[in-house]
Amino acid sequence: MKKLSYKLLIVDDKPETLVYLKMLLDDIPFINKDIEVLTNAVDAIQYLKENEVDILLLDMELGSGDISGIKLSMMIANPPVMAACSAHPQYVFEAEDTSICAYFSKKISFNALQVKMVELVERVDRKLENQSRDIKHLLMTNLEGKVIELPLADIYYAIIDNSTLTVYLEAEQYQFNEHLNSFQSRLPAHSFVRPRNNTLVHLAKVDLVRTNEFYLCKPRNIDPLSMTADFKSNFKHQFEIYKQNNK
């Protein structure tokens, strides 16, 4: 596995039906314990724009006149790995015609669920490998409408704040109207990792990692950047792998 833990988002209009499933997921060591549950498509789409999600579990009937899980899966730009988790088996064949790659019941056994999660994680890892392609530059339009060529080797880190993405290079910084997830999806996954939800860091520019913070290389080494608890372990893990592979 390429990560210590994998982040899940569940979309289900009846979260009270997920107690058993969440109890099982908590016992799978490679699944992040902080599992977000949302009850409607609008909140899910917004959450996916702003947060890193590896696996999306969708109920098929979202109720209250909302769109179905099938329709939601087709509305997501650059979706994570998706699976249908539902009490409605009639949607199995319809789900196969979308990007949903697995189906299981909310009453699944622990052993069967663990097998499903391993399969989904393997898909996440393959997606990360494909994302680790050799890219040298990004072309992006800044807030003034000017096209900026960003050399990947010069990027130190990026922060999202109120829908404004700021990318920091050695001496310059640029601002764009783009979500961090969208920006991250265009970068090599083995080199750019989040230490916290609103920040993406180029591991090649990390100089020193401490318990809850890290320092970048010069000239952006004056103040440390913090790591949050839910991202810290994976960030440190990815940094160690990066160092081993780039000695």
Side-chain angles (χ1 to χ4, degrees), residues 24-64:
L24 298 186
L25 289 169
D26 282 342
D27 288 334
I28 299 178
F30 53 84
I31 297 301
N32 192 289
K33 304 303 180 187
D34 184 18
I35 299 174
E36 186 73 20
V37 177
L38 299 175
T39 59
N40 64 80
V42 174
D43 289 346
I45 290 173
Q46 187 62 35
Y47 185 89
L48 287 165
K49 289 179 179 178
E50 299 173 353
N51 297 272
E52 187 175 31
V53 174
D54 296 307
I55 299 170
L56 173 61
L57 301 184
L58 289 168
D59 187 19
M60 292 292 93
E61 290 188 357
L62 295 177
S64 302

Side-chain angles (χ1 to χ4, degrees), residues 135-154:
I135 300 174
K136 301 297 183 184
H137 300 84
L138 285 182
L139 292 178
M140 300 179 65
T141 303
N142 69 7
L143 296 182
E144 289 74 42
K146 181 181 178 181
V147 176
I148 305 296
E149 183 176 350
L150 295 176
L152 264 62
D154 294 346

Side-chain angles (χ1 to χ4, degrees), residues 79-98:
V81 171
M82 296 186 291
C85 175
S86 178
H88 306 284
Q90 67 268 27
Y91 288 99
V92 174
F93 297 108
E94 189 176 352
E96 289 178 350
D97 294 329
T98 70

Side-chain angles (χ1 to χ4, degrees), residues 184-244:
Q184 184 175 1
S185 70
R186 301 165 65 186
L187 299 169
H190 66 283
S191 300
F192 290 84
V193 180
R194 296 194 197 196
R196 56 196 187 208
N197 192 51
N198 71 336
T199 305
L200 185 67
V201 173
H202 191 181
L203 294 178
K205 303 301 185 182
V206 176
D207 181 42
L208 177 65
V209 177
R210 297 189 182 277
T211 304
N212 295 309
E213 62 186 19
F214 62 96
Y215 286 84
L216 297 172
C217 300
K218 294 180 179 180
R220 296 199 176 274
N221 62 333
I222 298 175
D223 297 315
L225 296 176
S226 64
M227 297 177 284
T228 56
D230 49 341
F231 285 88
K232 178 172 61 176
S233 295
N234 186 65
F235 182 81
K236 290 182 176 181
H237 177 68
Q238 295 295 332
F239 179 58
E240 290 301 321
I241 292 176
Y242 183 87
K243 287 197 302 182
Q244 291 293 325

Side-chain angles (χ1 to χ4, degrees), residues 161-202:
D161 182 27
N162 293 327
S163 299
T164 297
L165 178 72
T166 304
V167 180
Y168 295 86
L169 279 62
E170 181 172 324
E172 305 88 4
Q173 64 186 60
Y174 300 99
Q175 291 189 318
F176 308 94
N177 184 20
E178 181 161 348
H179 291 284
L180 188 58
N181 273 4
S182 174
F183 180 65
Q184 184 175 1
S185 70
R186 301 165 65 186
L187 299 169
H190 66 283
S191 300
F192 290 84
V193 180
R194 296 194 197 196
R196 56 196 187 208
N197 192 51
N198 71 336
T199 305
L200 185 67
V201 173
H202 191 181

